[in-house]
Amino acid sequence: MSYILFFNMPFAGHLNPSLPIIKELTSKGVEIRFYCFRDEAIETKIELFGATFYELPTKQENPNKLIEPDFPTMCAFLAETTLEVVPYLLPRLKDDPPASIVFDSFCFWGYVLSKCLSVPSVCLIPTFALHQSFFPKLAIPFIVISGGIRKAFPGVKALKQFNRMLKLINEKYAYIGSNILDVIMLPSNLKIVFTSRIFQIKNQVFDDSYLFVGASLIEMEENLDFRKELNNKLRTNNSSIIYVSMGTVINKKPAFFQQFIKAFKNTAFTVIVSIGNGMSVGDLGPIPDNFIIKNIVPQMEVLKRASVFISHCGMNSTTEALISRVPMLMYPQVGDRVVIARRLVKFKAAILLKKGKLSPEYLRKSVNVLLHNAELRSNIEQLAISLESSGGHSKAASAILALSV
């Protein structure tokens, strides 16, 4: 077998589920060539797992414009990237074709190249799989106004740009669809979905080309300095842990984090707050003794010991919390995170924080309710079992290998 080609996005929620698959494949002696936007941390991580990192051949900047855009603007950016990547890589890949192409659902260029080269394609879906029957019911959170009504108008212009570029892609390279919905549901040979079939919305509409593998998680190297700091804090306070994180993308929310400082300073909790790289710890003012506030923390390690998780409801964080059996207070901001939160509410497996009501009293009451809700913990257990029993990265790697022979 020749090599397998991977395309992914430089976002933790998209990248992290694919890392265990890459590790599994390289451990079996499979050559992986991995393309992504330039990111030294990702390059180091990828090569640690035995794959070879290549910078995506595009003049587009690291895709920060994908952070909280309207959906058409995001798709226009991805289509423009496709029109740069494909003409550069296609002639080179024709001389040395891969056995298969595995691509994140945002990486349209991966599917286009697979069609041009007539090689099997695998689409990695880091959140819920989408289906035509979902629209227009889910059009609001997923398509036009995923960032709010105020962003609908720029999206109209971007949609026209996207349609022009889609026509070019169809004419010059390979037909991938006639509209924006076709492109976000590319008909790959195999679609790997990183959740369980039980948790998936309307799971009965998906055929066997969709492989629901549940949790695909990998433990990173232990952070011994953080563990020492946490243990010292716990010995001092003899307390339970509240963990607060808004993920790695839409997290520049100092007022939000400050409400938790007001609510839980000098209480019988140790509060760990991950604020991401969009702001500094100093932006939050004085830090109480029972708080640990960092830009980044080892999330899986924290969740193993946490009693409560205040989360933005990204699929990766949601999966890690469920697997760790940690009850969540949910504060979703946009798009798929809102839908994930609604799904958790449907299963009665988490509590949704009400926007505009994040007073210290409300936060303390919500944590107390969460800590003493036996039904919620039972429902978390059922979802955790479904995620653990779906096959994970081993099942995904085996399916990719079978398709690549």
Side-chain angles (χ1 to χ4, degrees):
M1 183 182 74
S2 62
Y3 66 95
I4 295 177
L5 189 59
F6 267 72
F7 293 103
N8 217 311
M9 300 299 291
F11 305 134
H14 290 250
L15 177 68
N16 287 349
S18 68
L19 295 178
I21 300 173
I22 290 170
K23 185 177 182 181
E24 179 91 1
L25 290 170
T26 57
S27 72
K28 296 179 182 298
V30 179
E31 180 187 356
I32 302 294
R33 300 181 188 178
F34 182 96
Y35 280 85
C36 189
F37 292 85
R38 168 57 59 190
D39 188 301
E40 291 183 5
I42 292 176
E43 180 176 359
T44 300
K45 194 178 295 185
I46 288 298
E47 296 194 341
L48 182 67
F49 294 149
T52 304
F53 181 93
Y54 293 87
E55 182 177 359
L56 198 68
T58 173
K59 294 179 182 178
Q60 300 276 7
E61 296 180 1
N62 198 298
N64 292 323
K65 65 176 68 178
L66 299 187
I67 298 174
E68 203 176 4
D70 60 273
F71 196 82
T73 297
M74 182 190 79
C75 287
F77 171 84
L78 297 174
E80 187 175 358
T81 304
T82 299
L83 287 169
E84 286 188 314
V85 170
V86 171
Y88 180 88
L89 286 182
L90 184 57
R92 291 161 174 80
L93 294 176
K94 282 181 177 178
D95 293 334
D96 184 19
S100 63
I101 295 178
V102 181
F103 62 95
D104 178 88
S105 57
F106 278 11
C107 298
F108 303 163
W109 47 92
Y111 181 71
V112 173
L113 287 167
S114 74
K115 292 276 285 184
C116 292
L117 296 168
S118 299
V119 300
S121 60
V122 180
C123 182
L124 303 178
I125 303 175
T127 183
F128 292 128
L130 299 181
H131 190 270
Q132 198 76 29
S133 65
F134 290 8
F135 305 96
K137 185 176 181 181
L138 292 183
I140 289 176
F142 271 117
I143 305 295
V144 180
I145 57 171
S146 63
I149 292 290
R150 61 190 169 83
K151 295 196 173 181
F153 297 106
V156 172
K157 181 179 179 181
L159 184 58
K160 292 180 180 178
Q161 294 172 338
F162 170 79
N163 287 334
R164 286 196 297 269
M165 288 184 282
L166 178 60
K167 184 178 179 181
L168 280 174
I169 293 168
N170 288 338
E171 292 174 350
K172 294 183 68 174
Y173 302 111
Y175 181 82
I176 63 171
S178 60
N179 58 59
I180 201 166
L181 294 185
D182 289 343
V183 174
I184 64 171
M185 293 178 284
L186 295 170
S188 307
N189 300 100
L190 176 66
K191 280 79 72 175
I192 294 176
V193 190
F194 293 112
T195 191
S196 63
R197 185 172 277 274
I198 289 173
F199 195 48
Q200 166 67 44
I201 300 169
K202 292 187 178 181
N203 55 60
Q204 71 278 3
V205 303
F206 296 98
D207 60 27
D208 291 341
S209 68
Y210 289 83
L211 190 67
F212 294 88
V213 301
S216 179
L217 307 176
I218 193 165
E219 295 253 8
M220 303 307 293
E221 185 177 343
E222 294 180 344
N223 189 323
L224 298 180
D225 289 338
F226 177 85
R227 179 179 294 182
K228 182 179 179 180
E229 181 180 0
L230 177 57
N231 287 339
N232 288 337
K233 191 76 69 174
L234 291 173
R235 276 195 293 269
T236 301
N237 296 312
N238 190 27
S239 57
S240 299
I241 294 173
I242 296 174
Y243 174 45
V244 184
S245 173
M246 287 292 102
T248 59
V249 179
I250 307 171
N251 52 21
K252 193 174 181 180
K253 299 184 178 295
F256 174 83
F257 294 120
Q258 284 166 346
Q259 286 298 90
F260 284 92
I261 293 176
K262 293 176 183 177
F264 297 104
K265 66 180 179 180
N266 305 322
T267 62
F269 293 102
T270 292
V271 184
I272 301 172
V273 183
S274 175
I275 61 173
N277 291 320
M279 52 188 290
S280 67
V281 175
D283 295 334
L284 300 179
I287 307 302
D289 290 340
N290 63 318
F291 274 66
I292 297 175
I293 301 181
K294 305 282 187 183
N295 292 101
I296 301 293
V297 304
Q299 181 159 289
M300 281 296 291
E301 186 173 342
V302 171
L303 285 172
K304 285 180 179 179
R305 305 173 70 175
S307 297
V308 174
F309 181 25
I310 290 84
S311 173
H312 68 306
C313 287
M315 184 63 86
N316 204 53
S317 290
T318 297
T319 298
E320 291 178 354
L322 290 170
I323 290 293
S324 302
R325 276 72 170 176
V326 181
M328 284 182 285
L329 291 177
M330 305 178 295
Y331 195 70
Q333 303 299 296
V334 295
D336 65 320
R337 294 151 202 177
V338 175
V339 180
I340 291 167
R342 290 174 181 169
R343 191 67 171 157
L344 287 165
V345 168
K346 182 178 177 63
F347 278 93
K348 297 181 180 179
I351 294 176
L352 186 64
L353 289 171
K354 296 177 182 178
K355 291 185 178 181
K357 295 187 177 181
L358 299 182
S359 68
E361 295 76 17
Y362 174 64
L363 292 174
R364 287 193 293 267
K365 181 180 178 180
S366 298
V367 166
N368 187 59
V369 169
L370 202 65
L371 288 171
H372 298 92
N373 192 322
E375 180 188 13
L376 183 142
R377 290 181 179 276
S378 176
N379 295 335
I380 290 172
E381 180 67 24
Q382 295 306 309
L383 286 178
I385 291 171
S386 79
L387 291 166
E388 291 170 335
S389 62
S390 294
H393 64 272
S394 295
K395 184 175 181 179
S398 295
I400 292 170
L401 276 176
L403 196 67
S404 304
V405 173

